[in-house]
Amino acid sequence: MIGAGTYADDRLGAGSATGPGEAIIRVCLVRSALELTGRGLDPAWVARHALAELERRLGAAAGLVLIEPAGRIGIAHTTEAMAAACRSEESGGTVLVG
């Protein structure tokens, strides 16, 4: 389901999920994850936690990318593979995840 796993809010951040759209919608995966980052939790932890909850509730594997307004990024996947990359001034280069 194209667009099912994309959400952005100027106060919470933005995120995108890939995987089974119906499962992602049923748990409001990206919005739910961003609610946690909005409370100050680390986006990397939140991404892992949200995917574990998706797997626990619906047995679905997916991938998730989150970024909070301050710029912290969280990337995780429970699928066999998910290529992702980001670049930050702090890292001085591109960080590959996947």
Coordinates of all heavy atoms in Angstrom, one line a residue:
M1 N 0.8 -1.2 0.0 CA 0.0 0.0 0.0 C 0.9 1.2 0.0 O 1.4 1.6 1.0 CB -0.9 0.0 1.2 CG -1.8 -1.2 1.3 SD -2.9 -1.3 2.7 CE -4.0 0.0 2.3
I2 N 1.1 1.8 -1.1 CA 2.0 3.0 -1.3 C 1.5 4.1 -0.4 O 0.4 4.5 -0.4 CB 2.1 3.4 -2.8 CG1 2.6 2.2 -3.6 CG2 2.9 4.7 -2.9 CD1 2.6 2.5 -5.1
G3 N 2.5 4.7 0.3 CA 2.2 5.8 1.2 C 1.7 5.5 2.6 O 1.5 6.3 3.4
A4 N 1.5 4.2 2.8 CA 1.0 3.8 4.1 C 1.9 4.0 5.3 O 1.5 4.2 6.4 CB 0.6 2.3 4.1
G5 N 3.2 4.0 5.0 CA 4.2 4.0 6.1 C 5.0 5.3 6.1 O 6.1 5.3 6.5
T6 N 4.4 6.4 5.7 CA 5.1 7.7 5.7 C 4.4 8.7 6.5 O 3.2 8.8 6.4 CB 5.3 8.2 4.3 OG1 6.0 7.2 3.5 CG2 6.1 9.5 4.2
Y7 N 5.1 9.4 7.4 CA 4.4 10.4 8.3 C 5.4 11.5 8.6 O 6.6 11.2 8.8 CB 3.9 9.7 9.6 CG 3.0 10.6 10.4 CD1 1.7 10.6 10.1 CD2 3.6 11.4 11.4 CE1 0.9 11.5 10.9 CE2 2.7 12.2 12.1 CZ 1.4 12.3 11.9 OH 0.6 13.1 12.6
A8 N 5.0 12.7 8.7 CA 5.8 13.8 9.1 C 5.0 14.8 10.0 O 3.8 15.0 9.7 CB 6.4 14.5 7.9
D9 N 5.7 15.3 11.0 CA 5.1 16.3 11.9 C 6.2 17.2 12.3 O 7.2 16.8 12.8 CB 4.4 15.6 13.1 CG 3.7 16.5 14.1 OD1 4.5 17.3 14.7 OD2 2.5 16.5 14.2
D10 N 6.0 18.5 12.2 CA 7.1 19.5 12.6 C 7.5 19.4 14.0 O 8.6 19.8 14.4 CB 6.7 20.9 12.2 CG 5.5 21.5 12.9 OD1 4.7 20.7 13.4 OD2 5.4 22.7 13.0
R11 N 6.7 18.9 14.9 CA 7.0 18.8 16.3 C 7.6 17.4 16.7 O 8.4 17.3 17.6 CB 5.8 19.0 17.2 CG 5.3 20.4 17.1 CD 3.9 20.6 17.8 NE 3.0 19.7 17.0 CZ 2.0 19.0 17.5 NH1 1.9 18.8 18.7 NH2 1.2 18.3 16.7
L12 N 7.2 16.4 15.9 CA 7.7 15.0 16.3 C 8.8 14.5 15.4 O 9.7 13.7 15.8 CB 6.5 14.0 16.1 CG 5.3 14.3 17.0 CD1 4.2 13.3 16.7 CD2 5.7 14.3 18.5
G13 N 8.9 14.9 14.2 CA 9.9 14.5 13.2 C 9.2 13.8 12.0 O 8.0 14.1 11.7
A14 N 9.9 13.0 11.3 CA 9.4 12.3 10.1 C 9.9 10.9 10.1 O 11.0 10.6 10.7 CB 9.9 13.1 8.9
G15 N 9.2 10.1 9.4 CA 9.6 8.7 9.3 C 9.0 8.0 8.1 O 8.0 8.5 7.5
S16 N 9.6 6.9 7.7 CA 9.1 6.1 6.6 C 9.4 4.6 6.9 O 10.4 4.3 7.4 CB 9.8 6.5 5.3 OG 9.2 5.8 4.2
A17 N 8.4 3.8 6.6 CA 8.5 2.4 6.8 C 8.4 1.7 5.5 O 7.7 2.2 4.6 CB 7.4 1.9 7.8
T18 N 9.0 0.5 5.4 CA 8.8 -0.3 4.2 C 8.5 -1.7 4.7 O 9.0 -2.2 5.7 CB 10.1 -0.3 3.4 OG1 9.8 -1.1 2.1 CG2 11.3 -0.9 4.1
G19 N 7.6 -2.4 4.0 CA 7.2 -3.7 4.3 C 5.7 -3.9 4.0 O 5.1 -3.2 3.2
P20 N 5.0 -4.8 4.7 CA 3.6 -5.0 4.5 C 2.7 -3.9 4.9 O 2.5 -3.6 6.1 CB 3.3 -6.3 5.3 CG 4.3 -6.3 6.4 CD 5.5 -5.6 5.8
G21 N 2.2 -3.1 4.0 CA 1.5 -1.9 4.2 C 0.3 -2.1 5.2 O 0.1 -1.3 6.0
E22 N -0.5 -3.2 5.0 CA -1.6 -3.4 5.9 C -1.2 -3.5 7.3 O -1.9 -3.0 8.2 CB -2.4 -4.6 5.4 CG -3.2 -4.3 4.1 CD -4.1 -5.4 3.7 OE1 -4.5 -6.2 4.5 OE2 -4.4 -5.4 2.5
A23 N -0.1 -4.2 7.6 CA 0.3 -4.4 9.0 C 0.8 -3.1 9.5 O 0.6 -2.7 10.7 CB 1.4 -5.5 9.1
I24 N 1.6 -2.3 8.7 CA 2.1 -1.0 9.1 C 1.0 -0.1 9.5 O 1.1 0.6 10.5 CB 3.1 -0.5 8.0 CG1 4.3 -1.3 7.9 CG2 3.4 1.0 8.2 CD1 5.2 -1.1 6.7
I25 N -0.1 -0.1 8.7 CA -1.2 0.8 9.0 C -1.9 0.3 10.2 O -2.3 1.2 11.1 CB -2.2 0.7 7.8 CG1 -1.7 1.5 6.6 CG2 -3.6 1.3 8.2 CD1 -2.5 1.4 5.4
R26 N -2.1 -0.9 10.4 CA -2.9 -1.4 11.6 C -2.3 -1.0 12.9 O -3.0 -0.8 13.9 CB -3.0 -3.0 11.5 CG -4.0 -3.5 10.5 CD -4.1 -4.9 10.5 NE -4.5 -5.5 11.7 CZ -4.5 -6.8 12.0 NH1 -4.1 -7.7 11.1 NH2 -4.9 -7.2 13.2
V27 N -1.0 -0.9 13.0 CA -0.4 -0.4 14.2 C 0.0 1.1 14.2 O 0.7 1.5 15.1 CB 0.8 -1.3 14.6 CG1 0.4 -2.7 14.8 CG2 1.9 -1.2 13.6
C28 N -0.3 1.8 13.1 CA 0.1 3.2 12.9 C 1.6 3.3 13.2 O 2.1 4.1 14.1 CB -0.7 4.1 13.8 SG -2.4 4.1 13.4
L29 N 2.4 2.4 12.6 CA 3.8 2.2 13.0 C 4.6 3.5 13.0 O 5.3 3.8 14.1 CB 4.5 1.2 12.0 CG 5.9 0.9 12.3 CD1 6.1 0.1 13.6 CD2 6.5 0.1 11.1
V30 N 4.6 4.3 12.0 CA 5.5 5.5 11.9 C 5.0 6.5 12.9 O 5.8 7.1 13.7 CB 5.6 6.0 10.5 CG1 6.5 7.3 10.5 CG2 6.1 5.0 9.6
R31 N 3.7 6.8 12.9 CA 3.1 7.8 13.9 C 3.4 7.4 15.3 O 3.8 8.2 16.1 CB 1.6 7.9 13.6 CG 0.9 8.7 14.7 CD 1.3 10.2 14.7 NE 0.7 10.9 15.9 CZ 0.5 12.1 15.9 NH1 0.7 12.9 14.9 NH2 0.0 12.6 17.0
S32 N 3.2 6.1 15.6 CA 3.4 5.6 17.0 C 4.9 5.8 17.4 O 5.2 6.2 18.5 CB 3.1 4.1 17.1 OG 1.7 4.0 16.9
A33 N 5.8 5.5 16.4 CA 7.2 5.6 16.7 C 7.6 7.1 17.0 O 8.3 7.4 17.9 CB 8.0 5.0 15.6
L34 N 7.0 8.0 16.1 CA 7.3 9.4 16.3 C 6.8 10.0 17.6 O 7.4 10.9 18.2 CB 6.8 10.2 15.1 CG 7.6 9.9 13.8 CD1 6.9 10.6 12.6 CD2 9.0 10.4 13.9
E35 N 5.7 9.4 18.1 CA 5.2 9.8 19.4 C 6.3 9.6 20.5 O 6.5 10.4 21.4 CB 3.9 9.1 19.8 CG 2.7 9.6 19.0 CD 2.3 10.9 19.4 OE1 2.5 11.4 20.6 OE2 1.6 11.6 18.6
L36 N 7.0 8.5 20.4 CA 8.1 8.2 21.3 C 9.3 9.1 21.2 O 9.9 9.5 22.2 CB 8.5 6.7 21.2 CG 7.4 5.7 21.6 CD1 7.9 4.3 21.3 CD2 6.9 5.8 23.0
T37 N 9.7 9.4 19.9 CA 10.8 10.3 19.7 C 10.4 11.7 20.2 O 11.2 12.4 20.7 CB 11.3 10.4 18.3 OG1 10.2 10.8 17.4 CG2 11.8 9.0 17.8
G38 N 9.1 12.0 20.1 CA 8.6 13.3 20.6 C 8.7 13.4 22.1 O 8.8 14.5 22.6
R39 N 8.9 12.3 22.8 CA 9.0 12.3 24.2 C 10.5 12.3 24.6 O 10.9 12.2 25.8 CB 8.4 11.1 24.9 CG 6.9 11.1 24.7 CD 6.3 9.9 25.4 NE 4.9 9.7 24.9 CZ 4.2 8.6 25.0 NH1 4.8 7.5 25.4 NH2 3.0 8.6 24.6
G40 N 11.4 12.4 23.6 CA 12.8 12.5 23.9 C 13.6 11.2 23.8 O 14.8 11.2 24.0
L41 N 12.9 10.1 23.4 CA 13.6 8.8 23.3 C 14.5 8.8 22.1 O 14.2 9.4 21.1 CB 12.6 7.7 23.4 CG 11.8 7.5 24.6 CD1 10.7 6.5 24.5 CD2 12.7 7.2 25.8
D42 N 15.6 8.0 22.2 CA 16.5 7.9 21.1 C 15.9 7.3 19.9 O 15.3 6.2 20.0 CB 17.7 7.1 21.5 CG 18.7 6.8 20.4 OD1 19.2 7.8 19.8 OD2 18.9 5.6 20.1
P43 N 15.9 7.9 18.7 CA 15.3 7.3 17.5 C 15.8 6.0 17.1 O 15.0 5.1 16.6 CB 15.6 8.4 16.4 CG 15.9 9.6 17.1 CD 16.5 9.2 18.4
A44 N 17.0 5.6 17.3 CA 17.5 4.3 17.0 C 16.9 3.3 17.9 O 16.4 2.2 17.4 CB 19.0 4.3 17.2
W45 N 16.7 3.5 19.2 CA 16.0 2.6 20.1 C 14.6 2.5 19.7 O 14.0 1.4 19.7 CB 16.2 3.1 21.5 CG 15.5 2.2 22.5 CD1 16.0 1.1 23.1 CD2 14.1 2.3 22.9 NE1 15.0 0.4 23.8 CE2 13.9 1.2 23.8 CE3 13.1 3.2 22.6 CZ2 12.6 0.9 24.4 CZ3 11.8 2.9 23.2 CH2 11.6 1.8 24.1
V46 N 13.9 3.7 19.4 CA 12.5 3.7 19.1 C 12.3 2.8 17.8 O 11.3 2.1 17.8 CB 12.0 5.1 18.9 CG1 10.6 5.1 18.2 CG2 12.0 5.9 20.2
A47 N 13.1 3.0 16.8 CA 12.9 2.2 15.6 C 13.0 0.7 15.8 O 12.1 -0.1 15.4 CB 14.0 2.6 14.5
R48 N 13.9 0.3 16.6 CA 14.0 -1.2 17.0 C 12.8 -1.6 17.8 O 12.2 -2.7 17.6 CB 15.3 -1.4 17.8 CG 16.6 -1.3 16.9 CD 17.8 -1.8 17.7 NE 18.0 -1.1 19.0 CZ 18.7 0.0 19.2 NH1 19.2 0.6 18.1 NH2 18.8 0.5 20.4
H49 N 12.4 -0.8 18.8 CA 11.3 -1.1 19.6 C 10.0 -1.2 18.8 O 9.2 -2.1 19.0 CB 11.1 0.0 20.7 CG 9.9 -0.1 21.5 ND1 9.8 -1.0 22.6 CD2 8.8 0.6 21.5 CE1 8.6 -0.9 23.1 NE2 7.9 0.1 22.5
A50 N 9.7 -0.2 17.9 CA 8.5 -0.2 17.1 C 8.4 -1.5 16.2 O 7.4 -2.1 16.1 CB 8.5 1.1 16.3
L51 N 9.5 -1.9 15.6 CA 9.5 -3.0 14.8 C 9.3 -4.3 15.6 O 8.7 -5.2 15.1 CB 10.8 -3.1 14.0 CG 11.0 -2.0 12.9 CD1 12.3 -2.1 12.3 CD2 9.9 -2.1 11.9
A52 N 9.9 -4.4 16.8 CA 9.6 -5.5 17.7 C 8.2 -5.6 18.0 O 7.6 -6.7 18.1 CB 10.5 -5.4 18.9
E53 N 7.5 -4.5 18.3 CA 6.1 -4.5 18.6 C 5.3 -4.9 17.4 O 4.3 -5.7 17.5 CB 5.7 -3.1 19.0 CG 4.2 -2.9 19.4 CD 3.8 -3.7 20.7 OE1 4.7 -4.2 21.4 OE2 2.6 -3.8 20.9
L54 N 5.6 -4.5 16.2 CA 5.0 -4.9 14.9 C 5.1 -6.4 14.8 O 4.1 -7.1 14.5 CB 5.6 -4.2 13.7 CG 5.0 -4.6 12.4 CD1 3.6 -4.1 12.2 CD2 5.9 -4.1 11.3
E55 N 6.3 -6.9 15.0 CA 6.5 -8.4 14.9 C 5.7 -9.1 16.0 O 5.1 -10.2 15.7 CB 8.0 -8.7 15.0 CG 8.3 -10.1 14.5 CD 9.7 -10.2 14.1 OE1 10.6 -9.5 14.6 OE2 10.0 -11.2 13.3
R56 N 5.7 -8.6 17.2 CA 5.0 -9.3 18.3 C 3.5 -9.3 18.0 O 2.8 -10.3 18.2 CB 5.3 -8.6 19.6 CG 4.6 -9.3 20.8 CD 4.7 -8.4 22.1 NE 3.9 -7.2 22.0 CZ 2.6 -7.2 22.2 NH1 1.9 -8.3 22.4 NH2 1.9 -6.1 22.2
R57 N 2.9 -8.2 17.6 CA 1.5 -8.1 17.4 C 1.0 -8.8 16.2 O -0.1 -9.4 16.2 CB 1.0 -6.6 17.4 CG 1.1 -6.0 18.7 CD 0.6 -4.6 18.7 NE -0.8 -4.5 18.2 CZ -1.4 -3.3 17.9 NH1 -0.7 -2.2 18.1 NH2 -2.6 -3.3 17.4
L58 N 1.7 -8.6 15.0 CA 1.2 -9.1 13.8 C 2.1 -10.1 13.1 O 1.7 -10.6 12.0 CB 0.9 -7.9 12.9 CG -0.2 -6.9 13.4 CD1 -0.3 -5.7 12.5 CD2 -1.5 -7.6 13.6
G59 N 3.2 -10.4 13.6 CA 4.1 -11.3 13.0 C 4.7 -10.8 11.7 O 5.2 -11.6 10.9
A60 N 4.8 -9.5 11.6 CA 5.3 -8.9 10.3 C 6.7 -8.3 10.5 O 7.0 -7.8 11.5 CB 4.3 -7.7 9.9
A61 N 7.5 -8.5 9.4 CA 8.8 -7.9 9.4 C 8.8 -6.6 8.5 O 8.0 -6.6 7.5 CB 9.8 -8.9 8.8
A62 N 9.6 -5.6 8.9 CA 9.5 -4.4 8.1 C 10.8 -3.6 8.4 O 11.7 -4.1 9.1 CB 8.4 -3.5 8.6
G63 N 11.0 -2.5 7.8 CA 12.1 -1.6 8.0 C 11.6 -0.2 8.3 O 10.4 0.2 7.9
L64 N 12.3 0.6 9.1 CA 11.9 1.9 9.6 C 13.0 2.9 9.6 O 14.1 2.5 10.1 CB 11.3 1.7 11.0 CG 10.6 2.9 11.7 CD1 9.5 3.5 10.8 CD2 10.1 2.4 13.0
V65 N 12.8 4.1 9.1 CA 13.7 5.2 9.2 C 13.0 6.3 9.9 O 11.9 6.7 9.5 CB 14.2 5.6 7.8 CG1 15.1 6.8 7.9 CG2 14.9 4.5 7.1
L66 N 13.6 6.9 10.9 CA 13.1 8.0 11.7 C 14.1 9.1 11.8 O 15.3 8.9 11.9 CB 12.7 7.6 13.1 CG 11.7 6.4 13.3 CD1 11.7 6.0 14.8 CD2 10.4 6.7 12.8
I67 N 13.6 10.3 11.8 CA 14.5 11.5 12.1 C 13.7 12.5 12.9 O 12.5 12.8 12.6 CB 15.0 12.1 10.8 CG1 16.0 13.3 11.1 CG2 13.9 12.6 9.9 CD1 16.8 13.8 10.0
E68 N 14.3 12.9 14.0 CA 13.6 13.8 14.9 C 13.9 15.3 14.5 O 14.9 15.5 13.7 CB 13.9 13.6 16.3 CG 15.4 13.8 16.6 CD 15.8 13.8 18.1 OE1 14.9 13.4 18.9 OE2 16.9 14.2 18.3
P69 N 13.2 16.3 14.9 CA 13.5 17.7 14.6 C 14.9 18.1 14.9 O 15.5 18.9 14.1 CB 12.5 18.5 15.4 CG 11.3 17.5 15.5 CD 12.0 16.2 15.7
A70 N 15.5 17.6 15.9 CA 16.9 18.0 16.3 C 17.9 17.3 15.3 O 19.1 17.6 15.4 CB 17.2 17.6 17.7
G71 N 17.5 16.3 14.5 CA 18.4 15.7 13.5 C 18.9 14.3 13.9 O 19.6 13.7 13.1
R72 N 18.5 13.8 15.1 CA 18.9 12.4 15.4 C 18.2 11.4 14.5 O 17.0 11.6 14.3 CB 18.7 12.1 16.8 CG 19.6 12.9 17.8 CD 19.5 12.4 19.2 NE 18.1 12.4 19.7 CZ 17.8 11.8 20.8 NH1 18.6 11.1 21.6 NH2 16.5 11.9 21.2
I73 N 18.9 10.4 14.0 CA 18.3 9.5 13.1 C 18.3 8.1 13.7 O 19.2 7.7 14.4 CB 19.1 9.4 11.8 CG1 19.1 10.8 11.1 CG2 18.7 8.3 10.8 CD1 20.0 10.9 10.0
G74 N 17.2 7.3 13.4 CA 17.1 5.9 13.8 C 16.8 5.1 12.6 O 15.8 5.4 11.8
I75 N 17.5 4.0 12.3 CA 17.3 3.1 11.2 C 17.3 1.7 11.7 O 18.3 1.3 12.4 CB 18.3 3.3 10.1 CG1 18.4 4.7 9.6 CG2 18.1 2.3 8.9 CD1 19.5 5.1 8.6
A76 N 16.3 0.9 11.4 CA 16.3 -0.5 11.9 C 15.5 -1.3 10.9 O 14.6 -0.7 10.1 CB 15.7 -0.5 13.3
H77 N 15.7 -2.6 10.9 CA 14.9 -3.5 10.1 C 14.8 -4.9 10.7 O 15.8 -5.3 11.4 CB 15.4 -3.6 8.7 CG 16.8 -4.1 8.5 ND1 17.0 -5.5 8.4 CD2 18.0 -3.5 8.6 CE1 18.3 -5.7 8.3 NE2 18.9 -4.5 8.4
T78 N 13.7 -5.5 10.5 CA 13.5 -6.9 10.9 C 13.4 -7.8 9.7 O 13.3 -9.0 9.8 CB 12.3 -7.1 11.8 OG1 11.2 -6.6 11.2 CG2 12.5 -6.4 13.2
T79 N 13.5 -7.2 8.5 CA 13.5 -8.0 7.3 C 14.9 -8.5 7.1 O 15.8 -8.2 7.8 CB 13.2 -7.0 6.1 OG1 14.1 -5.9 6.1 CG2 11.7 -6.5 6.2
E80 N 15.0 -9.4 6.1 CA 16.3 -10.0 5.8 C 17.4 -9.0 5.5 O 18.5 -9.1 5.9 CB 16.2 -11.0 4.7 CG 17.4 -11.8 4.5 CD 17.3 -12.9 3.4 OE1 16.2 -13.6 3.4 OE2 18.2 -13.1 2.6
A81 N 17.0 -8.0 4.8 CA 17.9 -6.9 4.4 C 17.1 -5.6 4.1 O 16.0 -5.6 3.7 CB 18.7 -7.3 3.2
M82 N 17.8 -4.5 4.4 CA 17.2 -3.2 4.0 C 18.4 -2.2 3.9 O 19.0 -1.9 4.9 CB 16.2 -2.7 5.1 CG 15.6 -1.3 4.7 SD 14.6 -0.6 6.0 CE 15.7 0.5 6.7
A83 N 18.7 -1.8 2.8 CA 19.8 -0.9 2.6 C 19.3 0.6 2.9 O 18.2 1.0 2.6 CB 20.2 -0.9 1.1
A84 N 20.2 1.3 3.7 CA 19.9 2.6 4.0 C 21.2 3.4 4.2 O 22.2 2.7 4.6 CB 19.1 2.7 5.3
A85 N 21.2 4.7 4.0 CA 22.4 5.4 4.2 C 22.0 6.8 4.7 O 20.9 7.3 4.4 CB 23.2 5.6 2.9
C86 N 22.9 7.4 5.5 CA 22.7 8.8 5.9 C 24.0 9.5 6.0 O 25.0 8.9 6.2 CB 21.9 8.9 7.2 SG 22.7 8.2 8.6
R87 N 24.0 10.8 6.0 CA 25.2 11.6 6.1 C 25.0 12.7 7.1 O 23.9 13.3 7.1 CB 25.6 12.2 4.8 CG 26.9 12.9 4.8 CD 27.2 13.5 3.4 NE 28.3 14.3 3.5 CZ 29.5 14.0 3.0 NH1 29.6 13.0 2.3 NH2 30.5 14.9 3.1
S88 N 25.9 12.9 8.0 CA 25.8 13.9 9.0 C 27.1 14.7 9.1 O 28.2 14.2 8.8 CB 25.4 13.4 10.4 OG 26.5 12.7 10.9
E89 N 27.1 15.9 9.6 CA 28.3 16.7 9.8 C 29.1 16.0 10.9 O 30.3 16.1 10.8 CB 27.9 18.1 10.2 CG 27.3 18.9 9.1 CD 27.0 20.3 9.5 OE1 27.5 20.8 10.5 OE2 26.1 20.9 8.8
E90 N 28.5 15.4 11.9 CA 29.2 14.8 13.0 C 30.0 13.6 12.6 O 31.2 13.4 13.0 CB 28.3 14.4 14.1 CG 27.6 15.5 14.9 CD 26.4 16.0 14.1 OE1 25.8 15.3 13.3 OE2 26.0 17.2 14.3
S91 N 29.5 12.8 11.7 CA 30.2 11.6 11.2 C 31.3 11.9 10.2 O 32.1 11.1 10.0 CB 29.2 10.6 10.6 OG 28.7 11.1 9.4
G92 N 31.1 13.1 9.6 CA 32.1 13.5 8.6 C 32.0 12.7 7.3 O 32.9 12.7 6.4
G93 N 31.0 11.9 7.1 CA 30.8 11.1 5.9 C 29.5 10.3 6.0 O 28.7 10.5 6.8
T94 N 29.4 9.4 5.0 CA 28.2 8.7 4.9 C 28.2 7.4 5.8 O 29.2 6.7 5.8 CB 28.0 8.2 3.4 OG1 27.9 9.4 2.6 CG2 26.7 7.4 3.2
V95 N 27.1 7.2 6.5 CA 27.0 6.0 7.3 C 26.0 5.0 6.6 O 24.9 5.4 6.3 CB 26.5 6.4 8.7 CG1 26.3 5.1 9.6 CG2 27.4 7.4 9.4
L96 N 26.5 3.8 6.3 CA 25.6 2.8 5.7 C 25.1 1.9 6.7 O 25.8 1.5 7.6 CB 26.4 2.0 4.6 CG 27.0 2.8 3.5 CD1 27.8 2.0 2.6 CD2 25.9 3.5 2.7
V97 N 23.8 1.6 6.6 CA 23.2 0.7 7.5 C 22.5 -0.4 6.6 O 21.8 0.0 5.7 CB 22.1 1.4 8.4 CG1 21.4 0.4 9.3 CG2 22.8 2.5 9.2
G98 N 22.5 -1.6 7.0 CA 21.8 -2.6 6.2 C 22.4 -3.9 6.1 O 22.9 -4.6 6.7

